[in-house]
Amino acid sequence: MTTVFTGNAFAHGSTVDPASRNYGCWERWGDDFQNPDMAAEDPMCWQAWQADSTAMWNWNGLYRENVGGDHRTAIPDGQLCSAGRTGGDRYAALDEPGPWHAAPVDNDFTATVHDQARHGADYIRMYVTEQGFDPATQRLAWDDLELVADTGTIPPGEGRSSDGESLNGVSIDIDISAPGRSGHHIVYMIWQASHYDQVFYACSDVTFPEG
């Protein structure tokens, strides 16, 4: 699979398991992104690729600067997955509700955030949508989320080394407990990098067991 990056979004990171929307679209279709079968097999990725393919090539560059910790002010409801349409409309398609590919998880699971540039973190906060939220029909809002994990400080370079073709930094595993959920949900990541006031955001779709 060929890795292509553009602009200044080279070598930062994202949630890779469960895959963020744009990382998952790149992982599944990056070597075949013009395949028309994507429209039927993976329609939300198809609309995202058509809207702006650089959102997937730059899966590790979805961030905002100078947020000052006030995420709610920086990012309006309905634009959480695009980090308030950071970079203009590049990531806007990630906010669209619909049948996004969702990874099956248990109510207790481990999420992995990849720190490709070994920035470290002042914190990584993980949220899961409340039961009753429907990613297929609703845009994500702050009040839809429950905080389920907060790592606190992670020193630069700390994590599991990766020798993957595209993951050449370190991976950070975060244990999550999200009881009372079933069906399709969104896992939302806020990663405050420690090298600068630069914050990475990601929406990952998951499916919890029914019943």
Side-chain angles (χ1 to χ4, degrees), residues 186-197:
I186 293 174
V187 177
Y188 192 61
M189 182 271 292
I190 301 177
W191 164 23
Q192 172 65 66
S194 61
H195 71 298
Y196 184 65
D197 188 0

Side-chain angles (χ1 to χ4, degrees), residues 9 42 45 50 52 54 66-67 75 93 97 114 134 145 187 202 208-209:
D42 204 344
C45 280
Q50 303 312 301
D52 194 329
T54 61
N66 303 313
V67 173
I75 301 175
H114 194 71
D134 182 7
L145 296 170
V187 177
F208 291 104

Side-chain angles (χ1 to χ4, degrees), residues 8-9 12 60-65 83 86-87 91 198-201:
N8 61 3
H12 297 297
N60 56 10
L62 205 171
Y63 64 86
R64 294 191 72 89
E65 295 181 340
T86 188
Y91 298 102
Q198 188 176 71
V199 191
F200 295 81
Y201 302 89

